[in-house]
Amino acid sequence: MYLRLADEKLIVGQVLVSTAWLAPEPTVVSVVSLMGDAELDRSRALYANAVGPQGEAIDAAIYCRADSAFASSSLADWLPRTWVGLVVKQVLYSTAHVARLCALEDLGLEGVTSAARLSTAMFQRDFWSRWFVRLAADEDRGIRESVQEALTLLWPVARESFDFGLIGSAGSVLNAAGNAWERSIADRCIELGLVLPAGVPGIHDLARVEGTPDALTGRISAGARLRSVLISWIPLSGYLFEFGSPTVADQARVDRSLVLTELRAARR
């Protein structure tokens, strides 16, 4: 569990830093970048719980494992191409993470939860929730359609945030938290006039995605800079469509490799 949480924080943090430039305002770019830095720092603390406090062991967990060995969920891995895509991904991830933290706190897991960490997670949840409402209520039909497309793409794998393979009471607690979270997201979407795909397939029963919506495609960083404005981009569409019509999970694995490559290049 510690390794899964650490991997997710690492991936989410790097995605936030790498895509902060998508934000529509300079102040928001800075806030998103700082959020990413905080997630990267938090990931190291969780790696210490998973592999030990030695810096060498933590570095090995981050930089020496194969991309396929990372245990983060498809939602965490997904690399957005637009600000709308980033907002939808993060509102699903951050709301699920707060619900998950509260559930894990009930389980008394040392090193996972604290008042300060929960407060930080709630700030991020509220930040992305406000942007989600703002975009969903936008009078521009294209923006609302992009929000809907992102929801349709990401909702089938969003529940993975609660799937740790735990059994007994621990698994029941997380499952109950996931059910309550699903209902809260569904209620919010109804309020905003958005539609969630019917059913929530599990990780081994993913619906196929017929290509990637044009509204979500774009460019990602080819540079390796964690704390500065990105200065070089490369087209991503070739990577995505080279694989035909991948499942969301297949797309996430491709994105994870790109994100980790950038992270490792930054270290060098």
Side-chain angles (χ1 to χ4, degrees), residues 3-4 13 41 56 83 97 102 117 185-187 200 226 232 235 242 246 257 267:
L3 193 61
R4 159 72 178 273
D41 290 341
E56 296 82 358
W83 177 241
H97 183 55
C102 292
R117 289 166 190 153
I185 295 296
D187 290 343
V200 183
L226 292 179
S232 58
E242 179 182 353
S257 178
R267 181 172 181 255

Side-chain angles (χ1 to χ4, degrees), residues 9 35 38-39 42 90-91 93-102 112-129:
K9 288 292 182 183
M35 285 183 184
E39 295 289 74
R42 177 69 185 124
Q90 287 301 125
V91 79
Y93 175 81
S94 62
T95 53
H97 183 55
V98 169
R100 187 172 62 183
L101 279 181
C102 292
V112 173
T113 62
S114 70
R117 289 166 190 153
L118 182 58
S119 177
T120 299
M122 291 175 69
F123 167 80
Q124 293 200 27
R125 178 201 63 186
D126 294 344
F127 174 88
W128 294 112
S129 294

Side-chain angles (χ1 to χ4, degrees), residues 10-93:
L10 179 76
I11 298 296
V12 169
Q14 178 60 13
V15 167
L16 287 175
V17 172
S18 298
T19 57
W21 61 274
L22 293 169
E25 304 164 11
T27 301
V28 182
V29 171
S30 298
V31 171
V32 174
S33 183
L34 288 172
M35 285 183 184
D37 285 340
E39 295 289 74
L40 291 170
D41 290 341
R42 177 69 185 124
S43 74
R44 293 191 69 86
L46 287 166
Y47 280 120
N49 286 105
V51 300
Q54 297 80 11
E56 296 82 358
I58 295 173
D59 285 344
I62 296 173
Y63 302 110
C64 299
R65 291 156 62 208
D67 296 350
S68 59
F70 281 74
S72 51
S73 66
S74 297
L75 179 62
D77 288 347
W78 189 68
L79 185 62
R81 331 293 183 212
T82 66
W83 177 241
V84 171
L86 180 59
V87 168
V88 173
K89 169 190 171 169
Q90 287 301 125
V91 79
L92 292 175
Y93 175 81

Side-chain angles (χ1 to χ4, degrees), residues 88-251:
V88 173
K89 169 190 171 169
Q90 287 301 125
V91 79
L92 292 175
Y93 175 81
S94 62
T95 53
H97 183 55
V98 169
R100 187 172 62 183
L101 279 181
C102 292
L104 294 176
E105 185 175 36
D106 291 339
L107 294 176
L109 291 178
E110 182 180 355
V112 173
T113 62
S114 70
R117 289 166 190 153
L118 182 58
S119 177
T120 299
M122 291 175 69
F123 167 80
Q124 293 200 27
R125 178 201 63 186
D126 294 344
F127 174 88
W128 294 112
S129 294
R130 285 193 296 270
W131 268 103
F132 181 66
V133 171
R134 177 175 172 179
L135 293 175
D138 198 291
E139 295 182 357
D140 186 325
R141 182 177 176 182
I143 293 178
R144 281 186 56 83
E145 289 179 348
S146 295
V147 172
Q148 182 61 67
E149 287 175 339
L151 273 175
T152 301
L153 180 67
L154 295 177
W155 182 247
V157 296
R159 180 56 185 268
E160 287 182 36
S161 296
F162 297 88
D163 296 337
F164 285 84
L166 300 178
I167 60 175
S169 60
S172 297
V173 167
L174 277 176
N175 186 58
N179 290 339
W181 169 80
E182 284 180 9
R183 290 192 295 271
S184 69
I185 295 296
D187 290 343
R188 174 53 61 91
C189 287
I190 290 173
E191 293 172 1
L192 297 173
L194 299 169
V195 179
L196 292 175
V200 183
I203 187 171
H204 300 299
D205 185 31
L206 294 170
R208 297 189 66 81
V209 178
E210 297 303 323
T212 300
D214 291 341
L216 302 182
T217 60
R219 294 173 179 269
I220 65 166
S221 164
R225 306 180 62 183
L226 292 179
R227 291 179 171 80
S228 61
V229 177
L230 304 180
I231 60 174
S232 58
W233 306 337
I234 58 172
L236 185 65
S237 57
Y239 288 98
L240 291 176
F241 293 103
E242 179 182 353
F243 294 89
S245 298
T247 63
V248 174
D250 290 334
Q251 178 186 337

